[in-house]
Amino acid sequence: MQKRLSANEYIKGILAGDRIILSRAITLIESQLAQDKSLAQEVLEKILPFSGKSIRIGITGVPGVGKSTFIEAFGKNITTQHKKIAVLAIDPSSQRTSGSIMGDKTRMEELSHESNAYIRPSPSGNSLGGVANKTRETILLCEAAGFEVIIVETVGVGQSETVVKGMVDFFLLLMLSGAGDELQGIKRGIMEMADVVVITKTDGDNVQKAKNARMEYVHALHLYPPTPNKWYPPVLTCSALEKTGLTEIWEIVLEFSSKMQENGFWKNNRQEQSLAWMYSYIRQSLESKFFDNQSIKKIIPTIEEKVLSGELLPIQGAKALFSLIE
Ligand code: GDP
């Protein structure tokens, strides 16, 4: 295991924008080791006053929609404006083929070489909840390190986008223009979460198809009831290969940000997210308090057997176990 620094060394390094120390601090907060927990906590508490000032953008879309190509091009567009950008990834699938894992190494390679960009690949093998919580904390660390735009990328196939929506200010949904199946690629619920829908790969033979898809999404989004923040999600097109449409997307992000800051929804959203985060911690702590309890661990196999054989109803089994920690 890499030697741990002192809390103050982490904090000094992070505030100085030292990305090696930032990476080590993220590794510390991702650590499952009991002895790392209090140090991680101390670092987080101390950097908290320096966090919160970025625009947090969630980006999702089905595999192959062009997320990494898009983030690379979009990110470079942002760094050109001398803004510092961090890209964090949540990949709950962990069933990525070895091909994609190889691919991951070279993902966003150009962006990763930029001095104003920081890319942190997702830790694998963790539960969705676990990864997500560490991502929240990672956002805070990156903000303290001076990153002004934080992109959280997730694969649009599971429940991870709901989790990501709960930790960002702005949610960007990437969509493919398909042959007639425009609205089927993605669950309705995800469309509803989007602050902007972007049709990717609007280039070559695909331009007309993308324009048609754009109109379909415009109509589809019209059917949704207006949201309390009075934001009407626009539908844009872009090509990450030809680098078109990227500036327009960034302008929408800025427009959203200034409107929401003005009408109070920016702050409101972050406050709600903080409360949700607290409750998610409570749930997790209760769960580990329960499952880490030695007497419960000991008796669980017996109770399981009784439930399997029908001797106990599931609720009776649960109650018997609960009685041990009450
Ligand atoms: P991800 O799985 O969503 O991260 O998608 P990738 O970024 O890996 O892209 C999937 C495929 O689409 C790759 O073969 C890319 O070269 C291609 N692609 C990505 N963006 C564009 C684009 O703007 N135009 C075209 N024509 N192809 C693209």
Side-chain angles (χ1 to χ4, degrees):
M1 191 182 86
Q2 197 174 33
K3 195 178 153 296
R4 298 298 183 220
L5 304 172
S6 73
N8 281 338
E9 283 168 325
Y10 282 116
I11 289 148
K12 231 176 102 191
I14 292 169
L15 295 181
D18 181 329
R19 49 193 63 218
I20 294 175
I21 296 193
L22 172 64
S23 294
R24 290 179 67 176
I26 297 172
T27 305
L28 172 76
I29 61 158
E30 283 170 354
S31 165
Q32 304 289 335
L33 299 172
Q35 69 262 35
D36 282 335
K37 296 237 155 95
S38 65
L39 182 57
Q41 196 57 37
E42 189 182 347
V43 171
L44 276 171
E45 278 167 20
K46 288 194 172 148
I47 57 97
L48 197 61
F50 304 97
S51 67
K53 292 184 195 80
S54 78
I55 298 183
R56 305 166 182 169
I57 304 174
I59 295 187
T60 194
V62 293
V65 72
K67 285 180 298 301
S68 44
T69 317
F70 172 80
I71 293 172
E72 169 128 284
F74 186 63
K76 281 177 76 179
N77 204 291
I78 294 171
T79 53
T80 314
Q81 302 170 39
H82 307 293
K83 284 206 180 302
K84 290 180 74 183
I85 176 170
V87 180
L88 317 172
I90 296 185
D91 178 7
S93 59
S94 71
Q95 315 129 347
R96 290 205 152 208
T97 63
S98 53
S100 334
I101 290 168
M102 293 293 286
D104 268 358
K105 286 197 179 143
T106 51
R107 284 177 103 218
M108 302 175 218
E109 192 164 6
E110 282 184 42
L111 187 61
S112 67
H113 290 138
E114 296 236 352
S115 60
N116 276 340
Y118 175 76
I119 297 176
R120 177 80 182 186
S122 61
S124 57
N126 277 327
S127 73
L128 176 58
V131 173
N133 274 321
K134 301 311 174 193
T135 305
R136 283 195 182 96
E137 290 158 343
T138 304
I139 291 175
L140 301 181
L141 294 182
C142 290
E143 288 175 341
F147 290 94
E148 298 152 287
V149 179
I150 316 265
I151 289 185
V152 184
E153 178 199 358
T154 185
V155 183
V157 287
Q159 37 149 195
S160 64
E161 41 294 292
T162 315
V163 180
V164 172
K165 171 82 179 170
M167 59 176 85
V168 296
D169 306 306
F170 185 87
F171 198 65
L172 190 159
L173 172 63
L174 294 178
M175 294 290 256
L176 285 168
S177 57
D181 62 348
E182 272 79 3
L183 297 176
Q184 292 167 35
I186 206 109
K187 282 180 278 155
R188 188 195 142 97
I190 297 177
M191 280 275 280
E192 258 167 304
M193 288 193 263
D195 295 305
V196 67
V197 174
V198 175
I199 319 282
T200 56
K201 309 189 193 182
T202 310
D203 47 47
D205 295 344
N206 221 11
V207 173
Q208 194 51 47
K209 260 203 303 194
K211 283 186 179 161
N212 295 344
R214 184 181 165 271
M215 288 318 293
E216 292 206 26
Y217 287 122
V218 168
H219 290 307
L221 286 171
H222 260 311
L223 301 176
Y224 293 154
T227 47
N229 65 6
K230 300 274 186 295
W231 176 257
Y232 298 93
V235 185
L236 303 176
T237 55
C238 84
S239 164
L241 280 193
E242 295 184 348
K243 320 245 180 305
T244 52
L246 302 169
T247 306
E248 288 80 355
I249 298 167
W250 178 238
E251 277 164 6
I252 289 291
V253 174
L254 294 180
E255 185 190 331
F256 178 90
S257 157
S258 69
K259 277 196 176 153
M260 293 308 121
Q261 307 225 20
E262 219 167 88
N263 68 15
F265 271 90
W266 189 271
K267 190 170 165 208
N268 208 15
N269 183 43
R270 285 203 177 178
Q271 284 174 329
E272 281 176 12
Q273 290 177 340
S274 294
L275 275 190
W277 192 4
M278 180 181 81
Y279 283 111
S280 129
Y281 264 128
I282 292 174
R283 266 181 230 110
Q284 269 177 38
S285 313
L286 283 175
E287 200 173 304
S288 44
K289 196 172 164 194
F290 182 90
F291 287 109
D292 294 345
N293 182 292
Q294 287 311 321
S295 348
I296 288 183
K297 270 189 184 166
K298 234 191 323 194
I299 202 169
I300 267 188
T302 318
I303 300 279
E304 263 190 18
E305 251 170 54
K306 288 189 176 169
V307 172
L308 283 174
S309 70
E311 192 183 323
L312 281 179
L313 285 169
I315 186 152
Q316 288 175 304
K319 278 188 172 164
L321 290 168
F322 264 118
S323 69
L324 295 172
I325 54 164
E326 274 165 4

